[in-house]
């Protein structure tokens, strides 16, 4: 898993690639939890994530809780069909603001 970070206007973007699973979730958790505390608006670009396990979902849920407790905004963008299906089956679609692309997610948070 790789994480590239950049800003799109007033929104911080974390572009994740690879797999979000039990092997990579700790690294992802360390970064996203720190950013969620610092950044008032964060987009997680999942366009290049091919697989997400329950460990990856748990990290995103933790980030959402941090965002809520700090009155920050979190959005997801660019989910591939197989990742979107995991969100749908797990019920996470109703928890997160999900957009077709990271640009659309950034636009929604501005």
């Amino acid at each position: 898993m790789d994480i590239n970070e950049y800003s799109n206007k007033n929104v911080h973007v974390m572009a994740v690639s690879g797999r979000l699973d039990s092997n990579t979730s700790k690294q992802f958790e360390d970064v996203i939890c720190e950013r969620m505390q610092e950044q008032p608006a964060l987009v997680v670009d999942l366009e290049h994530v091919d697989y997400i396990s329950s460990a990856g979902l748990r990290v995103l849920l933790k980030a959402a809780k941090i965002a809520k407790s700090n009155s920050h905004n979190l959005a997801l963008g660019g989910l591939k069909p197989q990742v979107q299906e995991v969100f749908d089956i797990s019920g996470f679609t109703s928890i997160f603001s999900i957009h077709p692309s990271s640009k659309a997610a950034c636009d929604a948070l501005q």
Side-chain angles (χ1 to χ4, degrees):
M1 177 198 64
D2 290 314
I3 300 172
N4 293 308
E5 299 182 65
Y6 61 92
S7 291
N8 183 339
K9 299 181 183 172
N10 295 327
V11 179
H12 190 80
V13 180
M14 290 179 57
V16 184
S17 60
R19 296 171 56 95
L20 284 175
D21 56 22
S22 59
N23 293 326
T24 59
S25 64
K26 177 64 174 133
Q27 175 192 0
F28 181 54
E29 181 176 3
D30 291 345
V31 176
I32 195 170
C33 290
E34 182 177 328
R35 295 304 175 273
M36 206 64 262
Q37 302 240 8
E38 301 168 347
Q39 302 295 329
L42 177 69
V43 167
V44 180
D45 181 352
L46 298 173
E47 180 181 354
H48 299 288
V49 171
D50 297 316
Y51 175 82
I52 188 166
S53 72
S54 59
L57 292 174
R58 181 191 62 76
V59 171
L60 286 172
L61 185 58
K62 183 175 181 180
K65 289 179 181 179
I66 293 169
K68 186 175 182 178
S69 71
N70 290 314
S71 298
H72 291 176
N73 295 308
L74 173 65
L76 309 179
L79 281 69
K80 289 186 175 183
Q82 65 269 28
V83 174
Q84 180 70 52
E85 184 178 8
V86 172
F87 275 77
D88 293 341
I89 291 170
S90 65
F92 275 49
T93 306
S94 63
I95 297 171
F96 291 95
S97 174
I98 299 176
H99 302 273
S101 67
S102 62
K103 183 186 180 321
C106 288
D107 291 345
L109 291 184
Q110 298 205 23

